[in-house]
Amino acid sequence: MLERPPLTVALIGNPNTGKSTLFTALAGVRQRVGNYPGVTVEKKVGSMRLGERRCELVDLPGTYSLAPRSPDEMVAVDVLLSRRGDVAGVDAVISIVDATNLERNLYLVGQVLEMGLPTIVALNMVDLARARGLTIDVERLREQLGVPVVELQANRGVGVNDLKRVLAESVDAPAARNRVSPFPEAFQRETEHVQTLWSRSDAKSENGREPLPRYLAERLLLDTSGYLQNTLTSQAADARAGEELLAARKRLAEAGCAVPAVEAQCRYRWVAEVLDGVVTRPSQRVEIVGDRVDRLLTHKVWGTLVFALLMLLVFSSVFIFADPLMGMIDEAIGALGGVAEAALPPGPVESLVVDGVIGGVGSVLIFLPQILFLFFFLAVLEDCGYMARAAYLMDKLMVRVGLSGKSFIPLLSSFACAIPGVMATRVIENRRDRLTTILVAPLMSCSARLPVYAILIGAFIPATTMLEFIPLQGLTLFSMYLLGMVTAAVVALVLKRTLLRGPTPPFVMELPNYKWPSPRMVLYRMGERGWAFVRRAGTLILAVSILVWAASYYPHNAAEVDERLEPRREALETQLAELDVSSPQREGVEEQLVEVENEIAAVYQRESILGHMGRAIEPVVRPLGWDWRIGCAVIASFPAREVVMGALGVIYNLGGDLDVGAASDQDRLGARMRAAEWDDTGEPVYNVPVALSIMVFFALCAQCAATLVIIRRETNSWRWPVFTFVYMTTLAYGAALVTYQVGMQFF
């Protein structure tokens, strides 16, 4: 017996109604995430079984209305109308609504019903509605809507099986009755006129369906922004279509149906009719625990203090909990490298595997625990309802630079790592705000910059105090973090007034009801983001690390090594082999051998492709106070800024496995850097202005290929990561130049 064809079911609902929780409850781990082609909206598709039949679930973006004003907002409409080739035609719709706020949620339901698809209304959070004293006559609501209504507590899985059963019955049931339009007769006549006009103007689609569905004809009349008209007019052969549309709107205004106000009037009138006798409210508003909690958490003083303490706890916990796991991963990578080194003969293959492949993957995987813990805490805070309160508190601060409160959490996350910060921008519905936040998130000083700051501050900033109580080294470190924040605010303001010009949208966010986080949902989000980090970022870092290895390894034929250093190494190895294990001279010989091997590595690096590149750009970086060695290390660090300290370790004869977290290695590297001299003048390379110049450059430069790849994934275009790299590198060079040139006037 042949299996029946699979079904495609779309989930739609307002933000904070539990749609994603229900999607996870239905699909479980059988889901995949990507981007709709041509837009930045995330596409989440899952699968489940309805008896013997397979069912594809499509989780549509959360929205308050199906009124498209941009390509991103058009996604939900196109999917429901089967106008996207990357999603199969929708067979049924699950419209999830918040039982505590049916008046607002049914506005979207009314628009969905006009699509004419089999629809099930999932009445979620019924437990919270009862807690507020609301009584909902579900049977009457079912009759008034004319579609099945299922009660749910999605976060606890209550009612999910009933929803599956009703869904299976609905898709096999006879076609639903014709929907009665909430619009007046005059509007319906004009809709038919517009539909006929555009259908005559536009060519037939390949699948033979009507080119312009009735719902889009309604939207053409109602869309005064011009987005939909421009989109559809570009496909039309009749130039009169736009003129006829303006005439139709004029006739509607004369008939007392002015657009777009007529939609809100008609739909809320329909909602009132549907809810007549359905919801019974208590005579007085019932205050629940969440209301009392909100008085504290949304208070401008106490709420801000709680938020600051909570964020401090979250980020401290990220480092505290992640540190042991990061150490374990580091040890595992080191052990794996040791096994590979012992198994492979010395040469390019060994260096490729140990330094290129294993070292490259390790440089990414070591940050995975931080990513997982950060998203764990963010998922808990979001699922319990707190994140909306945090965004509300921060809105007044963010609006001054053209953003909204929703941008604050992603920017805060970027202090740990820009990658989760960029991914966290998915909570921002406004495309311009989301894109602006993505473009400035890498300016926040992430944890990978801290080793650079620590080495240079410890080596070149005096351990003195200002005004007898402010530590100069601590002030310098704070200044680097402050520089990133101030620059991000300025860049955001410039972007919102130029490339991404547009009014800051009013911050409209419903404060969701508090609820216990769903462990399944939290763990899924944590795992999803962690895997996305490894899959998307790790692969590119691996590829780029191999390229950097090749550039720093080849041509590997320095004459100086063969003539001067190789005989010394052979002599020391022979001397070491002749000494007894307990000989007091053995330790000194081992130290000399390590120094010679490090010097050999430094010579190879200097004569490598990367070394030649460093000397080639020395005229460009010399105005910053840098010599070819610093330029070489900076070039190596563009794929991942963590590489810079290892590169400096090799360049200054300390080896590439320098542990920047160890005080002894910091002191050794600092001593070598202080002793470095210019090749042509013999003067010291490093001083305070040079150290500040390097730190400023690292604070502002886009030296993280993984972040650029994530920006490509989130924006669905290479244009924006290229723009980010160019503007940040230019900004970093200019700021470093000013820092050094001005600093030399005082030191």
Side-chain angles (χ1 to χ4, degrees):
M1 181 178 178
L2 295 175
E3 183 176 324
R4 299 172 67 186
L7 297 168
T8 300
V9 178
L11 271 70
I12 192 167
N14 292 176
N16 299 316
T17 55
K19 180 173 59 67
S20 296
T21 303
L22 177 60
F23 176 81
T24 301
L26 291 171
V29 297
R30 297 185 296 276
Q31 52 185 283
R32 57 191 182 276
V33 179
N35 276 67
Y36 288 98
V39 295
T40 61
V41 172
E42 184 179 79
K43 177 170 68 174
K44 190 179 292 185
V45 180
S47 63
M48 67 176 185
R49 303 292 302 186
L50 283 179
E52 299 299 321
R53 201 168 185 182
R54 188 168 62 87
C55 180
E56 291 287 324
L57 296 170
V58 180
D59 185 16
L60 295 176
T63 181
Y64 291 104
S65 172
L66 290 175
R69 294 175 297 274
S70 71
D72 288 355
E73 295 176 344
M74 191 71 188
V75 165
V77 175
D78 280 344
V79 170
L80 292 175
L81 293 175
S82 301
R83 289 167 56 89
R84 293 195 68 93
D86 54 307
V87 178
V90 173
D91 298 296
V93 180
I94 297 175
S95 183
I96 186 166
V97 301
D98 179 357
T100 66
N101 200 343
L102 287 176
E103 289 85 351
R104 180 181 50 72
N105 281 230
L106 287 181
Y107 186 100
L108 177 63
V109 172
Q111 293 176 323
V112 172
L113 291 178
E114 288 189 30
M115 302 283 187
L117 294 166
T119 302
I120 300 101
V121 173
L123 190 63
N124 195 29
M125 305 182 193
V126 291
D127 54 330
L128 296 176
R130 296 190 192 101
R132 291 189 177 277
L134 301 178
T135 302
I136 300 175
D137 188 339
V138 178
E139 187 60 38
R140 185 176 178 85
L141 178 61
R142 191 177 293 123
E143 292 176 2
Q144 302 276 62
L145 287 173
V147 297
V149 179
V150 180
E151 296 182 84
L152 285 177
Q153 288 178 243
N155 64 318
R156 297 185 179 181
V158 177
V160 173
N161 290 332
D162 292 337
L163 179 63
K164 290 181 178 180
R165 175 181 54 79
V166 172
L167 177 61
E169 295 171 354
S170 297
V171 294
D172 291 327
R177 71 189 187 200
N178 292 332
R179 306 295 175 204
V180 178
S181 174
F183 293 104
E185 186 176 345
F187 187 89
Q188 295 185 53
R189 284 197 306 268
E190 295 295 346
T191 298
E192 292 171 0
H193 174 68
V194 170
Q195 186 180 18
T196 302
L197 180 66
W198 247 262
S199 297
R200 185 174 65 246
S201 302
D202 204 0
K204 288 288 181 180
S205 59
E206 293 180 2
N207 57 18
R209 292 177 180 169
E210 186 180 56
L212 188 70
R214 181 184 178 88
Y215 184 80
L216 285 184
E218 287 184 356
R219 298 261 50 99
L220 272 171
L221 281 171
L222 294 166
D223 178 27
T224 56
S225 70
Y227 164 72
L228 195 58
Q229 179 181 343
N230 293 334
T231 301
L232 297 178
T233 302
S234 64
Q235 305 169 3
D238 190 348
R240 292 190 307 109
E243 297 176 3
E244 289 288 342
L245 186 59
L246 293 175
R249 288 176 182 161
K250 184 177 180 181
R251 290 192 295 269
L252 283 175
E254 293 172 352
C257 301
V259 296
V262 64
E263 180 173 29
Q265 296 168 359
C266 293
R267 293 205 185 280
Y268 280 119
R269 187 184 305 121
W270 173 82
V271 170
E273 293 171 357
V274 168
L275 293 180
D276 183 29
V278 170
V279 181
T280 304
R281 302 180 181 279
S283 56
Q284 293 183 342
R285 185 177 184 276
V286 176
E287 185 178 68
I288 61 176
V289 175
D291 297 328
R292 294 191 289 272
V293 173
D294 269 344
R295 281 201 291 270
L296 170 66
L297 296 184
T298 60
H299 191 275
K300 62 180 181 181
V301 176
W302 302 116
T304 304
L305 179 61
V306 170
F307 172 77
L309 292 175
L310 188 58
M311 289 299 104
L312 178 62
L313 177 63
V314 166
F315 284 97
S316 298
S317 299
V318 165
F319 284 99
I320 292 171
F321 294 141
D323 190 59
L325 293 177
M326 292 175 71
M328 292 170 61
I329 292 175
D330 191 29
E331 290 178 4
I333 295 295
L336 183 61
V339 171
E341 192 173 7
L344 296 171
V349 175
E350 177 217 20
S351 181
L352 170 62
V353 172
V354 176
D355 300 325
V357 176
I358 297 177
V361 172
S363 69
V364 173
L365 290 184
I366 196 170
F367 292 102
L368 181 59
Q370 285 187 353
I371 302 294
L372 292 176
F373 279 113
L374 180 61
F375 273 108
F376 170 79
F377 288 119
L378 292 180
V380 168
L381 293 175
E382 183 180 357
D383 210 33
C384 75
Y386 178 75
M387 293 298 264
R389 276 82 182 171
Y392 167 78
L393 281 171
M394 294 298 111
D395 179 60
K396 289 185 179 179
L397 176 64
M398 301 303 297
V399 78
R400 295 183 179 180
V401 296
L403 298 174
S404 72
K406 290 187 178 181
S407 299
F408 184 76
I409 297 299
L411 293 179
L412 190 64
S413 304
S414 299
F415 279 107
C417 179
I419 291 172
V422 170
M423 291 194 290
T425 60
R426 293 172 182 174
V427 302
I428 305 172
E429 291 91 359
N430 182 273
R431 181 179 178 275
R432 288 190 181 90
D433 275 16
R434 181 171 185 247
L435 191 51
T436 304
T437 307
I438 287 174
L439 296 180
V440 301
L443 287 169
M444 302 295 109
S445 279
C446 65
S447 57
R449 291 176 168 105
L450 189 57
V452 182
Y453 299 157
I455 294 291
L456 293 171
I457 290 174
F460 300 104
I461 304 301
T464 57
T465 59
M466 291 182 61
L467 304 178
E468 298 184 356
F469 69 94
I470 302 177
L472 187 58
Q473 292 182 332
L475 180 62
T476 305
L477 180 61
F478 173 75
S479 299
M480 292 300 108
Y481 280 85
L482 184 63
L483 174 65
M485 290 187 284
V486 172
T487 305
V490 173
V491 171
L493 192 60
V494 171
L495 288 174
K496 288 305 294 288
R497 293 185 177 181
T498 53
L499 287 179
L500 301 174
R501 182 182 296 131
T504 300
F507 185 55
V508 179
M509 173 181 279
E510 178 192 3
L511 296 182
N513 294 296
Y514 290 104
K515 60 184 177 67
W516 287 107
S518 167
R520 185 178 185 180
M521 187 70 180
V522 169
L523 292 175
Y524 168 74
R525 286 180 182 172
M526 182 177 70
E528 178 192 36
R529 298 297 185 250
W531 175 241
F533 171 74
V534 173
R535 185 180 68 249
R536 302 285 183 178
T539 51
L540 181 96
I541 282 290
L542 172 61
V544 175
S545 295
I546 292 175
L547 292 176
V548 171
W549 165 84
S552 61
Y553 186 86
Y554 289 106
H556 213 72
N557 57 357
E560 182 182 352
V561 172
D562 297 333
E563 295 176 4
R564 181 174 65 86
L565 297 176
E566 193 64 42
R568 285 180 57 193
R569 178 167 66 177
E570 292 176 358
L572 288 170
E573 288 176 345
T574 302
Q575 184 179 355
L576 189 64
E578 294 174 351
L579 290 173
D580 189 76
V581 176
S582 58
S583 173
Q585 299 177 344
R586 188 177 182 85
E587 183 176 352
V589 175
E590 288 177 342
E591 290 179 356
Q592 293 180 50
L593 181 59
V594 169
E595 288 184 5
V596 170
E597 289 178 341
N598 288 340
E599 191 174 350
I600 290 173
V603 171
Y604 279 133
Q605 175 116 21
R606 185 173 64 246
E607 299 301 324
S608 68
I609 296 172
L610 189 63
H612 284 288
M613 291 171 63
R615 289 203 295 276
I617 69 165
E618 188 175 70
V620 177
V621 299
R622 190 152 189 159
L624 311 182
W626 305 356
D627 70 345
W628 72 269
R629 298 175 184 85
I630 303 175
C632 187
V634 169
I635 291 174
S637 70
F638 271 100
R641 56 179 60 89
E642 302 93 312
V643 176
V644 67
M645 304 318 294
L648 286 173
V650 172
I651 291 170
Y652 291 112
N653 303 342
L654 294 175
D657 56 348
L658 188 74
D659 183 3
V660 296
S664 59
D665 279 0
Q666 290 183 12
D667 292 341
R668 289 168 56 214
L669 179 57
R672 292 292 174 91
M673 293 168 75
R674 286 191 293 270
E677 297 178 346
W678 286 94
D679 292 339
D680 51 356
T681 65
E683 296 181 358
V685 172
Y686 290 90
N687 53 30
V688 172
V690 170
L692 291 175
S693 172
I694 297 172
M695 285 190 284
V696 167
F697 186 88
F698 273 82
L700 301 179
C701 194
Q703 295 164 296
C704 185
T707 297
L708 297 176
V709 170
I710 292 298
I711 292 176
R712 158 66 181 86
R713 177 175 181 258
E714 295 300 312
T715 61
N716 210 28
S717 170
W718 278 110
R719 173 179 141 193
W720 294 113
V722 169
F723 173 78
T724 302
F725 178 82
V726 171
Y727 101 76
M728 288 185 65
T729 304
T730 304
L731 195 63
Y733 183 90
L737 177 64
V738 171
T739 300
Y740 174 72
Q741 296 296 337
V742 173
M744 287 301 292
Q745 305 301 316
F746 297 94
F747 292 92

